[in-house]
């Protein structure tokens, strides 16, 4: 049956206009598994079953498509809509630019699939980073050799985009929260600076009953399904599958210090853990009470980590350039040793060259090497390769490496000043000793960079002098004029042959050794002067000249890693579990495969459940909506809605926290495919006929429900502390009707997800026939969208 025929039939039966005008219907290349509207722009991000990510305008114009190469498991937008975060099956979270989909940064926070993401922002405008007034724009990551503009990998254009994104992100305090299927929840400021990681299995919640028995609840085998911050960042709602267990100890047990052995495990649960979907409320007030301190630490920390990436890549690029040039040198000159051996001589290449330098007759293998194997053209190619590599290394140091190290030194100085304000920054884990260690290693690394430049300049001059001498020797052997060749310093040729021909100081400084490798410093007077200067500068490490540049950078990275881990560890320790609410039970086998639609949102409203016997308070009210499988609550196919779970009230006189609950019974013969909370306390449901066939024939229904019209039941703490008694509310469940209210029939079956945009007032559905259908949800938006829909 065509959609216009169904509309006509419904209009005739109801004598009213059909709600939710169809804006357009477009084909899609594949089935969609994730879809999210941009919070600020008319853009829809979609993930296909093949884990390709598409971005479309409202008029369905495709802007870009990317393929991460791994299974995409979650997706969310940054609050300002300028970047999109993509969670992958290997635990990686990648950030992409909204304009072109370019990869901005990847951060590894999890070890398993990232199942959910939530990116929230505090509305307060933060102070601008003053560091930018003293320094030019930070250096960009150098391009890897062999890559041209437009190649993926280490590229220049996304670096500029990332810095712009980082600068705009610093204007507000925002946090990206992510959960995985192993029960870990991670927090990162600006989406790139890790500031906390908790394991929900280790969180414990304590209750004391009227018998003075203390119950401890723990979750095992958890898989995070949804995370949602409150608007003020003080609380986090976590919805997770798992096994909930209880342990009890009495006051008597505690007085005798024997409660560890006297606990009666799992007594309330009939000696078995409760398996199902659970809702937890975490206290994250540290993000609200210390947001200024955390913001300052994250601004400096995220910039330092970005600069460390510049240094890391610069060293890698320099190593590739230099190793390539040295390979060209050895490819040519190593053949001399083979020629000497084939002629039955026992001398080394250095001996042959020194003999030639001191006026001896040219030996047959050396003559063959210079005239036939190497030749003047081969020598020019080797000299050009080394000269080009030397210039490239010098350019990278001057334009990338050195500026990055200098700005790191300034930013770590800013953190050093903050760390001395102990009353403010000890609470967020900014440790003065660790910051001082990082400051010292940053200073030492700056000295090492200067040392590297000097070693590079000496090596390049030595190679140039050696190659000029060889060129002169080849021309003499070929009886060609040598007047155009630059003068040669014979003493430097001797030094090169004795100490540098088979030894590479530049490569040694850039090499990353698996074991500790020290550089020998022969001159005692030099070491003594260095030790005196280092001690005069206030540093404690006088052995840095024995370390390579790469080793020094590894130590610098470790110092920053340790210094930045402390705030993350401190913040994690301050996050605790405040409350929990079991939602519905399931078998341990089935919950791992369940895909339950869940939606969590906050509206301004009156919290009747905030306290008992007190005046209702106006604040942000949370709504948690979820579908309940028909096998969970006595085969009742319904939708559960809980509100007032978070403690967002400012009242300090709360007696007992309560929640309000309502069940919506889905009409028989229908299944809830997905649901989404909408603006003004509205809930949008997507139902399929249970008898629909796999080829897409059948009908679906989109329903909008006004939550304020529902009859919620107040559930106090004593009731839901007894856990699965929540299902006793099924007797007061409200029936859904498909013949009244704001209901729209779709002439074919649809699939998850349902993408709803509160700012645009539209909903996007995806049919099993691979079509996307966009409906206008608000009647006042329909006229304004008519023109755009025809574009």
């Amino acid at each position: 049956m065509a959609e216009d025929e169904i509309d006509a039939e419904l209009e005739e039966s109801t004598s009213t206009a059909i709600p939710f005008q169809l804006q357009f219907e477009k084909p899609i290349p594949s089935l969609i598994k994730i879809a999210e509207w941009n919070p600020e722009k008319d853009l829809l991000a979609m993930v296909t079953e093949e884990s390709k990510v598409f971005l479309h305008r409202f008029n369905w114009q495709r802007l870009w498509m990317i393929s991460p190469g791994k299974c995409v498991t979650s997706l969310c937008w940054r609050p300002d809509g300028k970047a999109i975060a993509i969670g992958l099956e290997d635990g990686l979270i990648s950030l992409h630019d909204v304009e072109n989909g370019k990869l901005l940064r990847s951060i590894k926070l999890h070890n398993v699939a990232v199942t959910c993401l939530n990116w929230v922002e505090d509305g307060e405008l933060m102070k601008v980073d003053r560091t930018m007034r003293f320094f030019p724009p930070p250096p960009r990551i150098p391009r890897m050799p062999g890559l041209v503009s437009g190649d993926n990998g280490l590229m220049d254009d996304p670096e500029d985009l990332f810095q712009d994104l980082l600068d705009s992100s610093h204007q507000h305090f925002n946090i990206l929260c992510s959960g995985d299927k192993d029960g870990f929840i991670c927090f990162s400021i600006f989406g790139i600076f890790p500031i906390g990681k908790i394991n929900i299995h280790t969180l414990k919640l304590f209750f004391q009953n009227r018998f003075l028995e203390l119950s401890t609840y723990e979750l095992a085998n958890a898989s995070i399904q949804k995370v949602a911050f409150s608007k003020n960042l003080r609380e986090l709602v976590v919805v997770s599958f798992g096994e909930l267990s209880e342990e009890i100890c009495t006051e008597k047990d505690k007085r005798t210090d024997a409660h560890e052995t006297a606990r009666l495990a799992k007594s309330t649960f009939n000696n078995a853990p409760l398996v199902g979907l659970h809702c937890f409320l975490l206290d994250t007030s540290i993000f609200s009470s210390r947001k200024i301190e955390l913001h300052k630490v994250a601004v400096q920390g995220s910039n330092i980590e970005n600069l460390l990436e510049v240094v890391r890549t610069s060293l890698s690029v320099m190593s590739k350039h230099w190793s390539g040039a040295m390979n060209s040198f050895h490819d040519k000159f190593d053949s001399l040793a083979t020629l000497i051996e084939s002629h039955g001589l026992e001398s080394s290449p250095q001996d042959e060259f020194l003999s030639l330098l001191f006026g001896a007759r040219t030996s047959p293998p050396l003559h063959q090497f210079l005239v036939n194997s190497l030749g003047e053209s081969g020598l020019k190619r080797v000299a050009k390769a080394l000269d080009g590599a030397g210039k490239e290394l010098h350019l990278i140091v001057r334009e990338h490496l050195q500026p990055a190290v200098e700005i790191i030194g300034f930013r770590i100085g800013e953190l050093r000043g903050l760390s001395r304000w102990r009353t403010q920054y000890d609470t967020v884990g900014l440790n003065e000793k660790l910051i001082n260690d990082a400051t010292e290693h940053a200073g030492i690394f700056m000295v090492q960079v200067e040392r590297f430049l000097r070693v590079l300049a000496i090596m390049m001059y030595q190679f140039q002098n050696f190659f000029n001498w060889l060129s002169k020797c080849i021309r003499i052997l070929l009886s060609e004029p040598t007047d155009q060749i630059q003068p040669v310093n014979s003493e430097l040729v001797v030094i090169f042959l004795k100490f540098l021909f088979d030894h590479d100081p530049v490569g040694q400084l850039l090499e990353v050794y698996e074991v500790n490798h020290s550089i020998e410093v022969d001159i005692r007077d030099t070491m003594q002067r260095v030790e005196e200067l280092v001690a005069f500068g206030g540093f404690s490490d006088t052995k840095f000249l024995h370390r390579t540049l790469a080793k020094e950078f590894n130590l610098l990275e470790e110092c920053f890693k340790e210094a930045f881990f402390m705030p993350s560890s401190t913040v994690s320790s301050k996050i605790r579990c405040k409350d929990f609410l079991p939602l519905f039970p399931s078998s341990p086998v089935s919950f791992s495969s369940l895909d339950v639609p869940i939606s969590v949102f906050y509206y301004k409203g009156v919290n009747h459940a905030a306290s008992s016997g007190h005046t209702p308070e106006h604040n942000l009210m949370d709504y948690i909506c979820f579908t309940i499988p028909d096998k969970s609550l006595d085969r009742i196919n319904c939708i559960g809605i809980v509100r007032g779970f978070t403690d967002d009230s400012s009242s300090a006189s709360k007696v007992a926290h309560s929640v309000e609950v309502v069940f919506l019974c889905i009409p028989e013969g229908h299944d809830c495919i997905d649901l989404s909370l909408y603006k003004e306390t509205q809930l949008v449901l997507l139902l399929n006929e249970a008898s629909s066939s796999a080829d897409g024939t059948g009908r679906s229904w989109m329903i909008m429900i006004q939550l304020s019209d529902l009859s919620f039941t107040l559930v106090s703490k004593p009731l839901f502390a007894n856990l699965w008694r929540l299902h006793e509310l099924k007797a007061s469940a409200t029936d859904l009707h498909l013949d009244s209210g704001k209901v729209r029939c779709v002439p074919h079956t649809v699939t998850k997800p349902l993408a709803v945009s509160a700012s645009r007032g539209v909903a996007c559905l995806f049919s099993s026939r691979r079509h996307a259908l966009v409906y206008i949800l608000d009647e006042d938006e329909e006229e304004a969208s008519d023109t755009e829909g025809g574009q």
Side-chain angles (χ1 to χ4, degrees):
M1 184 179 295
E3 185 160 353
D4 53 355
E5 295 177 357
I6 294 178
D7 289 349
E9 178 183 328
L10 290 173
E11 285 187 12
E12 183 178 352
S13 61
T14 60
S15 300
T16 58
I18 299 300
F20 313 139
Q21 174 188 339
L22 177 66
Q23 187 70 10
F24 57 80
E25 180 177 352
K26 299 289 185 180
I28 51 179
S30 177
L31 292 178
I32 304 297
K33 63 179 181 179
I34 305 173
E36 291 286 344
W37 286 96
N38 188 296
E40 296 293 332
K41 302 177 182 180
D42 295 335
L43 302 174
L44 178 65
M46 297 172 289
V47 182
T48 67
E49 291 289 345
E50 295 80 19
S51 288
K52 294 181 179 179
V53 184
F54 292 86
L55 186 69
H56 282 235
R57 293 188 186 275
F58 178 74
N59 61 8
W60 217 248
Q61 174 192 0
R62 182 190 296 182
L63 294 183
W64 48 258
M65 185 278 291
I66 58 174
S67 181
K70 302 171 185 175
C71 180
V72 177
T73 53
S74 55
L75 177 147
C76 80
W77 288 96
R78 204 175 82 165
D80 61 3
K82 294 182 178 180
I84 189 169
I86 298 176
L88 303 176
E89 64 177 347
D90 62 350
L92 201 68
I93 299 175
S94 59
L95 306 183
H96 297 261
D97 182 61
V98 66
E99 298 295 335
N100 49 30
K102 291 286 187 180
L103 176 64
L104 302 175
R105 275 296 179 272
S106 293
I107 180 171
K108 181 76 170 180
L109 298 176
H110 302 269
N111 296 321
V112 294
V114 181
T115 53
C116 53
L117 294 165
N118 179 229
W119 207 336
V120 292
E121 180 179 84
D122 182 82
E124 181 180 350
L125 189 65
M126 308 300 287
K127 291 183 179 180
V128 179
D129 178 21
R130 67 174 185 169
T131 309
M132 302 311 299
R133 296 184 299 175
F134 302 100
F135 280 91
R140 292 152 54 177
I141 292 179
R143 187 181 296 119
M144 276 289 186
L147 289 182
V148 297
S149 181
D151 284 344
N152 291 326
L154 297 167
M155 52 277 185
D156 48 359
D157 187 40
E159 261 321 290
D160 296 334
L161 296 174
F162 175 74
Q163 191 59 46
D164 293 341
L165 192 69
L166 193 62
D167 294 340
S168 64
S169 180
H170 290 169
Q171 297 176 7
H172 293 87
F173 182 67
N174 61 80
I175 298 179
L176 175 63
C177 179
S178 56
D180 65 32
K181 68 176 186 178
D182 278 356
F184 284 89
I185 302 172
C186 297
F187 307 90
S188 53
I189 302 178
F190 313 134
I192 57 173
F193 186 74
I195 199 61
K197 183 174 184 178
I198 61 173
N199 184 355
I200 199 170
H201 301 113
T202 62
L203 296 179
K204 296 183 179 181
L205 187 63
F206 301 93
F207 284 115
Q208 192 172 43
N209 60 25
R210 59 190 179 92
F211 301 108
L212 299 181
E213 293 177 335
L214 185 66
S215 297
T216 304
Y217 296 94
E218 297 180 357
L219 191 67
N221 300 323
S223 176
I224 309 298
Q225 301 297 304
K226 195 81 171 180
V227 288
F229 265 111
S230 61
K231 297 299 183 181
N232 57 12
L233 304 179
R234 299 185 65 86
E235 294 167 325
L236 178 72
V237 174
V238 179
V239 183
S240 173
F241 281 112
E243 302 176 4
L244 193 65
S245 59
E246 178 192 36
E247 294 179 345
I248 298 177
C249 67
T250 66
E251 282 295 319
K252 179 180 177 181
D253 294 330
K254 288 191 279 186
R255 288 194 300 269
T256 59
D257 292 330
H259 60 280
E260 290 294 335
T261 57
R263 287 178 179 175
L264 303 176
K266 306 172 185 175
S267 61
T268 305
F269 306 153
N270 297 323
N271 297 321
L274 288 174
V275 181
L277 188 67
H278 310 277
C279 188
F280 293 85
L281 182 62
L282 305 187
D283 180 0
T284 57
S285 56
I286 181 69
F287 295 126
S288 176
S289 61
R290 294 296 180 182
K291 65 181 177 182
I292 296 178
E293 292 84 357
L294 290 172
H295 182 269
K296 289 182 179 180
V297 172
V299 166
Q300 301 299 339
S302 59
N303 275 286
I304 288 174
E305 289 188 342
N306 186 37
L307 293 167
L308 288 175
E309 181 65 28
V310 174
V311 176
R312 183 186 304 108
T313 307
S314 297
L315 293 176
S316 178
V317 173
M318 290 162 59
S319 179
K320 288 182 181 295
H321 276 294
W322 187 254
S323 62
M326 290 304 296
N327 286 337
S328 300
F329 174 80
H330 289 295
D331 286 344
K332 284 294 184 181
F333 283 82
D334 286 351
S335 62
L336 176 58
T338 305
L339 290 174
I340 294 174
E341 184 179 355
S342 64
H343 282 78
L345 301 179
E346 296 182 356
S347 59
S348 66
Q350 293 94 316
D351 295 336
E352 294 294 329
F353 282 127
L354 288 173
S355 298
L356 180 61
L357 178 65
F358 294 142
R361 185 177 179 180
T362 307
S363 65
L366 182 58
H367 187 281
Q368 182 180 350
F369 171 75
L370 293 176
V371 175
N372 300 327
S373 300
L374 181 63
E376 192 170 6
S377 60
L379 180 62
K380 287 181 178 180
R381 285 194 296 270
V382 175
K384 183 179 179 181
L386 279 165
D387 182 66
K391 290 179 178 178
E392 192 68 29
L393 263 62
H394 189 272
L395 182 68
I396 291 174
V397 171
R398 291 301 187 191
E399 294 189 358
H400 301 274
L401 181 60
Q402 204 166 38
V405 177
E406 290 173 355
I407 301 178
I408 286 175
F410 182 84
R411 290 194 177 274
I412 192 62
E414 290 281 294
L415 286 177
R416 189 179 186 185
L418 295 177
S419 67
R420 294 182 175 181
W421 193 0
R422 295 185 180 89
T423 56
Q424 293 294 109
Y425 287 90
D426 267 354
T427 56
V428 296
L430 193 63
N431 186 276
E432 183 179 1
K433 181 182 181 304
L434 296 178
I435 295 298
N436 287 341
D437 291 343
T439 304
E440 177 171 340
H441 280 281
I444 291 176
F445 189 75
M446 294 174 70
V447 177
Q448 288 276 34
V449 172
E450 288 294 337
R451 174 199 189 187
F452 175 81
L453 284 175
R454 295 192 179 194
V455 172
L456 177 64
I458 293 173
M459 280 292 292
M460 295 311 300
Y461 186 76
Q462 287 279 8
F463 269 116
Q464 183 183 11
N465 184 74
F466 178 66
F467 290 151
N468 287 337
W469 174 71
L470 283 182
S471 179
K472 183 177 181 180
C473 292
I474 292 174
R475 291 199 170 198
I476 292 175
L477 292 175
L478 297 176
S479 301
E480 295 181 358
T482 61
D483 53 340
Q484 295 183 355
I485 299 177
Q486 296 180 359
V488 177
N489 188 326
S490 299
E491 292 182 3
L492 293 181
V493 174
V494 174
I495 293 175
F496 179 85
L497 291 173
K498 284 189 174 182
F499 302 106
L500 301 177
F501 183 81
D502 55 359
H503 180 64
D504 181 13
V506 174
Q508 185 182 29
L509 289 174
L510 295 174
E511 187 70 26
V512 179
Y513 296 95
E514 295 182 359
V515 297
N516 289 332
H517 179 83
S518 62
I519 298 176
E520 295 183 3
V521 181
D522 297 327
I523 305 175
R524 294 183 179 180
D525 182 59
T526 301
M527 282 304 303
Q528 182 179 355
R529 290 179 179 272
V530 168
E531 291 178 3
E532 291 175 355
L533 291 173
V534 170
F536 180 77
F539 297 118
S540 59
D541 189 353
T542 60
K543 304 298 182 182
F544 68 93
L545 283 181
H546 292 283
R547 296 194 291 267
T548 67
L549 185 64
K551 177 63 176 179
E552 199 66 60
F553 176 69
N554 289 339
L555 293 177
L556 179 63
E557 271 195 311
E558 288 298 321
C559 285
F560 277 115
K561 184 178 180 180
E562 188 176 0
F564 292 151
F565 175 76
M566 186 60 68
S568 176
S569 176
T570 302
V571 170
S572 300
S573 66
K574 296 181 182 295
I575 298 175
R576 60 182 182 85
C577 186
K578 292 176 60 176
D579 214 340
F580 76 97
L581 174 64
L583 300 179
F584 65 78
S586 67
S587 65
V589 178
S590 64
F591 87 75
S592 59
S593 60
L594 283 177
D595 185 15
V596 176
I598 303 170
S599 183
V600 181
F601 211 82
Y602 294 83
Y603 300 107
K604 290 183 179 180
V606 180
N607 191 351
H608 298 282
S611 60
S612 176
H614 292 79
T615 303
E617 300 180 9
H618 294 266
N619 47 49
L620 288 173
M621 173 74 71
D622 63 281
Y623 285 83
I624 305 170
C625 301
F626 53 95
T627 61
I628 302 177
D630 56 4
K631 295 182 179 180
S632 297
L633 298 181
D634 300 335
R635 297 189 176 275
I636 298 178
N637 191 10
C638 61
I639 297 168
I641 305 174
V642 177
R643 73 179 180 187
F645 183 52
T646 62
D647 189 4
D648 194 43
S649 171
S650 59
S651 173
S653 58
K654 291 191 174 184
V655 178
H657 184 57
S658 304
V659 297
E660 295 177 285
V661 182
V662 68
F663 285 165
L664 301 178
C665 290
I666 300 173
E668 187 175 354
H670 294 79
D671 295 318
C672 182
I673 300 301
D674 204 356
L675 52 83
S676 177
L677 285 158
Y678 186 53
K679 60 184 179 181
E680 299 174 358
T681 65
Q682 294 168 328
L683 176 65
V684 180
L685 304 177
L686 199 57
L687 306 183
N688 263 352
E689 289 183 341
S691 58
S692 301
S693 60
D695 60 359
T697 58
R699 293 191 299 179
S700 302
W701 305 85
M702 184 167 60
I703 308 172
M704 180 180 289
I705 299 171
Q706 189 69 36
L707 297 178
S708 58
D709 296 338
L710 299 178
S711 299
F712 283 83
T713 301
L714 191 65
V715 181
S716 62
K717 175 70 71 175
L719 175 59
F720 70 79
N722 289 330
L723 304 170
W724 293 133
R725 291 185 60 190
L726 195 65
H727 73 278
E728 294 179 0
L729 299 174
K730 66 180 183 292
S732 59
T734 302
D735 292 328
L736 286 177
H737 299 284
L738 303 181
D739 55 356
S740 62
K742 301 190 73 172
V743 181
R744 174 73 187 225
C745 181
V746 182
H748 29 250
T749 58
V750 294
T751 60
K752 188 179 181 179
L754 166 66
V756 173
S757 171
S759 60
R760 183 70 188 184
V762 297
C764 184
L765 320 181
F766 301 95
S767 73
S768 54
R769 294 182 176 181
R770 296 189 178 182
H771 278 74
L773 302 91
V774 176
Y775 289 90
I776 305 297
L777 296 180
D778 293 336
E779 295 179 359
D780 54 350
E781 297 278 354
E782 292 182 4
E783 183 176 351
S785 302
D786 285 341
T787 304
E788 296 184 27
Q791 293 177 351

